[in-house]
Each structure stands twice: as structure tokens, then as C-alpha cells.
């Protein structure tokens, strides 16, 4: 339960950072902070999901890995200035956060 609570809080923090980045724009300090945090969060999650000891069903793990890869790509595209909008990353993060709240 505490792991899920920590994940929930991490996603809430990531969403808050992404919303600030959306307000201040992709060239802002807020954008850098949001992208760095999101990349670290998903890096940790993907590492955990890749371990055999992870107890989630394989189908769910596969879906989360796909989402994580997409999020990391979006973050990198934003960092490189090819994506100017954080809406997709915010919406995906909110959906995952909502799912964690129900667990």
C-alpha cells in the first residue's frame, strides 16, 4: 500500500510540474524541471516493470511499459523543441494517477 501511495504522490508531483511547464512554455526552467522529473519517474517505473518479481499481470505490465516509452519519447521531443505542448503527458499522467487512487 505504501508503494502505491508513493507512486500516487510522485504522479501528482509530476502533473503539477507539467502544468507549470505548460503555463511557462517549453523553453522555461519549469519545463526542464518537469521533463527531468518525468524522465526519472518513468525510468524507475520501467526498471521495476522489467523485473520478473513485479507482481502485475503481464498484459498490464506490457501496457505500462508502452505508455512509459511514449512518455519518455514525448519528454525528449519536448526537450528538443519538437513538441510545444504538455497536454498529452498531463492527461496520461492524470489517468494513471486516477488508476492508482482506485487501487
Amino acid at each position: 500500500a505504501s508503494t502505491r501511495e508513493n507512486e500516487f504522490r510522485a504522479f501528482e508531483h509530476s502533473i503539477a510540474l507539467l502544468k507549470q511547464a505548460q503555463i511557462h512554455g517549453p523553453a522555461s526552467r519549469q519545463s526542464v524541471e518537469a521533463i527531468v522529473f518525468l524522465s526519472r519517474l518513468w525510468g524507475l517505473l520501467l526498471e521495476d516493470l522489467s523485473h520478473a518479481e513485479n507482481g502485475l499481470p503481464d498484459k498490464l505490465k506490457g501496457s505500462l511499459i508502452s505508455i512509459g516509452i511514449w512518455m519518455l519519447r514525448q519528454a525528449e521531443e519536448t526537450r528538443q523543441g519538437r513538441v510545444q505542448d504538455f497536454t498529452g503527458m498531463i492527461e496520461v499522467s492524470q489517468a494513471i494517477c486516477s488508476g492508482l487512487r482506485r487501487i
Side-chain angles (χ1 to χ4, degrees):
S2 66
T3 300
R4 293 290 174 250
E5 181 63 27
N6 289 339
E7 290 171 347
F8 177 79
R9 287 183 188 160
F11 273 99
E12 279 189 321
H13 184 65
S14 182
I15 291 164
L17 291 173
L18 289 166
K19 286 180 176 181
Q20 285 299 307
Q22 181 80 331
I23 291 167
H24 294 280
S28 67
R29 175 185 55 80
Q30 291 85 353
S31 175
V32 172
E33 289 176 11
I35 290 169
V36 167
F37 187 85
L38 181 137
S39 297
R40 287 181 180 162
L41 174 60
W42 277 103
L44 290 169
L45 292 171
L46 288 172
E47 182 180 339
D48 180 62
L49 290 165
S50 69
H51 288 118
E53 299 85 30
N54 184 298
L56 292 175
D58 288 342
K59 185 174 180 177
L60 178 56
K61 281 196 285 191
S63 295
L64 289 170
I65 288 169
S66 293
I67 290 167
I69 291 168
W70 181 85
M71 292 289 276
L72 290 174
R73 283 186 186 145
Q74 283 295 108
E76 182 60 20
E77 292 288 312
T78 303
R79 188 188 69 75
Q80 293 184 11
R82 292 193 287 265
V83 171
Q84 303 293 313
D85 186 30
F86 293 84
T87 304
M89 291 183 282
I90 292 169
E91 289 175 352
V92 168
S93 297
Q94 287 173 327
I96 292 172
C97 197
S98 176
L100 287 168
R101 186 177 296 136
R102 286 183 255 155
I103 293 176

